[in-house]
Amino acid sequence: MDEKRLARVRKNLARRGLTQVLIVDPLSIWWLCGYYTEPYERFLALLVGAEGTPTLFVNRLFPDASDCGARVVSFSDTDDPMALVAARTAHDLPLGVDKDLAARWLVPLMESGAASGFVLASDAVDDARSIKDARERELMRAASAVNDEAMSWLVDQVRPGVTERQIADGLLAEYRRLGAESHSFSPIVSFGDHAADPHHEPDDTPLELGDMVLFDVGCKRAWYCSDMTRTFFTAEPTEHQRAVYDAVLRANEAAEHLVRPGVTFAEIDRAARSVIEEAGWGPAFTHRLGHQIGLVDHEPGDVSSTHDEPVRPGQCFSIEPGIYLPGDMGVRIEDLVIVTEDGCEVLNRYPKGLTVL
């Protein structure tokens, strides 16, 4: 059990007036006690109280959890895990529950009288996970370094006739060659005006000379995720294309320049959005500026106009402004940053200046 992480979660619970929380997200359980299994339809949970040893509820089919530092309660497929949970909760106090707790577990738990009330309390863990410790920052850097190298491989695949799907399908092998285990999300490979679709799924479209090429890719290495977007040209860009690319690049740099403790997520979003608005493409920037990232590619806490909390040292999130002009073109430039004591560290080293391949 990681006592420092556990203490941060308990501090967040106390701030909410809670003394107990049931955590079911497998990655949050791993983050706290080092035990991981994918439960699929079966129940897996960590009950954390205000003090004492947390209790891990584990099906006997799952791997042995005896060395995780928690009190282990095992059960079989014919047992009622909610009865086991209810026997260990304080019935006269509210119970915090995880946002991932399925209704098939939550409703019976509520009917059992396991607590005086039920409160969505995922933010107690999400907030603690958002502050990356020194080891986690190193792992985030390492994952991004792999992504930088993989971007070079992607660029080398660009040639007339190659399809989006062919490049996307070959990326996993390159990630593994570079030391990563998997994608952190399905890769986005977009040719031509497909780049105007922010979440385009690679298809059998072949590259034609003159097409734009957008790569939005990320890998998972040693549990932690990377995410980066670069946009390239395969012929000398027009004045219009240069202007769009320049606006997105300046928006990216303006936001990264602003990041430091105390500045709000909303202010960072505004720094990028105002550049694009002043360039005349405000309505074409159709999404939030970014998202937090760590054990999963999109973690809670976005970089948007509605998120008024100040950023804190150790938080890691994306800066990814874009301009999307359907039927014409699309440009997105994305980096990951880690907030430092007096600014931010940009994790991505792959160049982002306008490049003709």
Side-chain angles (χ1 to χ4, degrees), residues 20-75:
Q20 53 184 351
V21 63
L22 190 67
I23 301 165
V24 300
D25 171 26
L27 283 172
S28 290
I29 292 172
W30 173 84
W31 183 79
L32 281 166
C33 70
Y35 177 81
Y36 182 83
T37 190
E38 176 52 62
Y40 298 105
E41 79 279 7
R42 292 181 170 89
F43 185 71
L44 172 72
L46 184 69
L47 179 64
V48 174
E51 55 186 22
T53 303
T55 300
L56 182 67
F57 299 88
V58 178
N59 192 294
R60 292 191 184 99
L61 288 175
F62 297 162
D64 178 59
S66 58
D67 62 350
C68 72
R71 182 183 299 107
V72 177
V73 174
S74 60
F75 56 91

Side-chain angles (χ1 to χ4, degrees), residues 43-351:
F43 185 71
L44 172 72
L46 184 69
L47 179 64
V48 174
E51 55 186 22
T53 303
T55 300
L56 182 67
F57 299 88
V58 178
N59 192 294
R60 292 191 184 99
L61 288 175
F62 297 162
D64 178 59
S66 58
D67 62 350
C68 72
R71 182 183 299 107
V72 177
V73 174
S74 60
F75 56 91
S76 71
D77 282 348
T78 56
D79 292 328
D80 176 9
M82 294 307 95
L84 298 174
V85 172
R88 290 161 177 80
T89 57
H91 292 196
D92 59 340
L93 295 171
L95 174 66
V97 295
D98 195 321
K99 61 182 179 296
D100 293 333
L101 183 61
R104 69 177 182 274
W105 306 122
L106 176 59
V107 173
L109 189 62
M110 295 173 71
E111 292 173 344
S112 74
S116 64
F118 293 82
V119 180
L120 183 61
S122 296
D123 56 348
V125 182
D126 294 339
D127 179 79
R129 273 177 51 180
S130 77
I131 307 298
K132 308 301 188 282
D133 61 30
R135 175 58 177 159
E136 290 178 298
R137 297 182 204 189
E138 283 300 319
L139 292 171
M140 294 295 297
R141 292 184 187 105
S144 284
V146 168
N147 217 22
D148 283 342
E149 290 191 62
M151 188 62 72
S152 296
W153 178 88
L154 287 164
V155 166
D156 288 343
Q157 309 313 301
V158 176
R159 61 186 182 277
V162 69
T163 69
E164 295 172 340
R165 197 189 313 274
Q166 285 173 331
I167 294 180
D169 286 351
L171 179 58
L172 181 57
E174 179 63 10
Y175 274 147
R176 288 176 172 168
R177 187 187 72 81
L178 294 169
E181 295 83 36
S182 63
H183 296 294
S184 55
F185 59 94
S186 296
I188 298 173
V189 179
S190 306
F191 296 162
D193 64 2
H194 286 175
D197 175 3
H199 282 171
H200 173 70
E201 295 185 7
D203 58 27
D204 293 321
T205 300
L207 181 77
E208 297 181 4
L209 191 62
D211 282 345
M212 301 182 65
V213 179
L214 184 149
F215 295 122
D216 184 349
V217 298
C219 66
K220 179 170 282 193
R221 180 187 180 279
W223 295 91
Y224 285 82
C225 296
S226 60
D227 190 355
M228 174 174 58
T229 307
R230 293 292 185 264
T231 306
F232 302 96
F233 297 89
T234 61
E236 192 63 27
T238 66
E239 184 176 341
H240 166 66
Q241 290 173 328
R242 283 184 176 275
V244 171
Y245 192 95
D246 176 69
V248 175
L249 178 59
R250 287 189 292 111
N252 170 277
E253 293 173 339
E256 291 177 0
H257 180 73
L258 184 63
V259 176
R260 61 183 180 277
V263 174
T264 68
F265 288 99
E267 289 171 328
I268 297 167
D269 180 276
R270 170 49 48 193
R273 200 166 301 276
S274 62
V275 171
I276 292 175
E277 289 173 348
E278 289 168 7
W281 287 292
F285 182 9
T286 55
H287 55 75
R288 64 191 179 187
L289 179 63
H291 55 84
Q292 294 197 50
I293 184 172
L295 293 175
V296 293
D297 180 54
H298 283 217
E299 295 198 333
D302 60 9
V303 188
S304 74
S305 61
T306 62
H307 191 179
D308 290 321
E309 290 184 342
V311 304
R312 292 170 288 167
Q315 289 181 317
C316 185
F317 49 85
S318 65
I319 299 290
E320 49 181 303
I323 293 175
Y324 310 98
L325 305 173
D328 181 10
M329 64 178 293
V331 173
R332 181 165 64 255
I333 301 172
E334 175 187 15
D335 295 317
L336 298 184
V337 301
I338 292 179
V339 184
T340 63
E341 295 297 331
D342 58 1
C344 76
E345 174 188 354
V346 179
L347 298 187
N348 301 103
R349 298 288 183 263
Y350 196 90

